[in-house]
Amino acid sequence: IKRKMEISSPSVPGAMAMLAQFVADTTRLPLPPEVARKAAFCVLDALGLGILARQEKTVLAVNSLTGPVSAGSSPDAGLARRWTDGARVGVADAVTANAVAVHAQFHDDTDYSSWTHPGSLIVSVALSLGESVNAPLSSVLRAVAIGYNAIEWLGARDEVARGLKRMMREELAERVETAFDEEYMWPLGLSVLLLVAAVVLVVVKPF
């Protein structure tokens, strides 16, 4: 899912301004049918993976920390469903539980530019937040498409991820204990998660 942004790699401070302009422009443009179909496929893929992992220990552990909300709660209370069991929880809890479920078996998709798994990062935010504000499916699919494009661009053809990896290895070299040097992906992932949340808040509105 791509729409070219006219910049080869992110720079500071211009990167955020260009990304914001891209989001604003794309929000006003018609979503091409082929892009909508691909976004729908990404949503179905993430949903399927989340449901498939419903008995994973990590998923059950996270679910135990995200308590369901009473069915009598107001529909405007910012609630969304955990995909593994259908329980209605706060939208932040739903995003967390659904993201963990999608990634639990390491079958989710991979973006090689950013070295991330956008299915867990992007779809869980777009769909859960979209549900919480009763957004139309077309707006959710648009948010997914924008999120996938943004996360790839932020990776700058894997330059950002490689830089984070070098930083992590240098830090680990100064320590006695060992850890996954692949943890470099999480700062980038968290940044994009927050970015997409902001994107969806702007984009996902009933027509």
Side-chain angles (χ1 to χ4, degrees):
I1 301 172
K2 298 180 180 179
R3 178 177 174 268
K4 282 294 220 180
M5 281 186 272
E6 295 178 359
I7 184 171
S8 58
S9 62
S11 60
V12 179
M16 188 57 68
M18 295 199 70
L19 189 56
Q21 188 63 55
F22 164 74
V23 172
D25 291 344
T26 308
T27 301
R28 293 189 290 267
L29 294 173
L31 192 64
E34 64 274 16
V35 175
R37 284 193 295 270
K38 181 63 176 178
F41 178 85
C42 293
V43 169
L44 291 174
D45 180 62
L47 280 170
L49 290 173
I51 294 171
L52 183 65
R54 62 188 179 278
Q55 296 301 324
E56 290 287 338
K57 291 181 180 180
T58 51
V59 173
L60 296 174
V62 171
N63 284 355
S64 71
L65 300 175
T66 56
V69 179
S70 170
S73 298
S74 167
D76 298 324
L79 305 179
R81 280 168 287 190
R82 289 191 311 228
W83 302 339
T84 53
D85 58 9
R88 297 173 74 244
V89 298
V91 65
D93 286 346
V95 169
T96 301
N98 294 336
V100 169
V102 173
H103 190 58
Q105 296 184 343
F106 301 100
H107 291 161
D108 44 337
D109 54 5
T110 300
D111 175 66
Y112 292 102
S113 175
S114 60
W115 293 12
T116 61
H117 299 282
S120 54
L121 291 170
I122 304 299
V123 178
S124 56
V125 175
L127 195 55
S128 298
L129 189 52
E131 179 184 1
S132 74
V133 298
N134 197 30
L137 179 59
S138 59
S139 292
V140 173
L141 295 180
R142 183 185 296 274
V144 169
I146 291 174
Y148 267 72
N149 194 95
I151 199 170
E152 184 200 32
W153 180 73
L154 285 168
R157 300 191 182 101
D158 83 8
E159 290 181 17
V160 174
R162 288 185 184 279
L164 288 171
K165 186 175 184 178
R166 285 193 298 270
M167 291 171 57
M168 179 62 71
R169 282 179 170 170
E170 290 171 2
E171 180 179 348
L172 291 175
E174 300 174 358
R175 301 187 179 198
V176 176
E177 70 270 19
T178 59
F180 282 117
D181 64 358
E182 291 182 356
E183 289 295 323
Y184 64 82
M185 75 169 58
W186 291 109
L188 177 62
L190 286 172
S191 298
V192 174
L193 189 63
L194 294 173
L195 167 68
V196 175
V199 168
V200 178
L201 283 170
V202 173
V203 174
V204 179
K205 296 179 180 178
F207 291 158

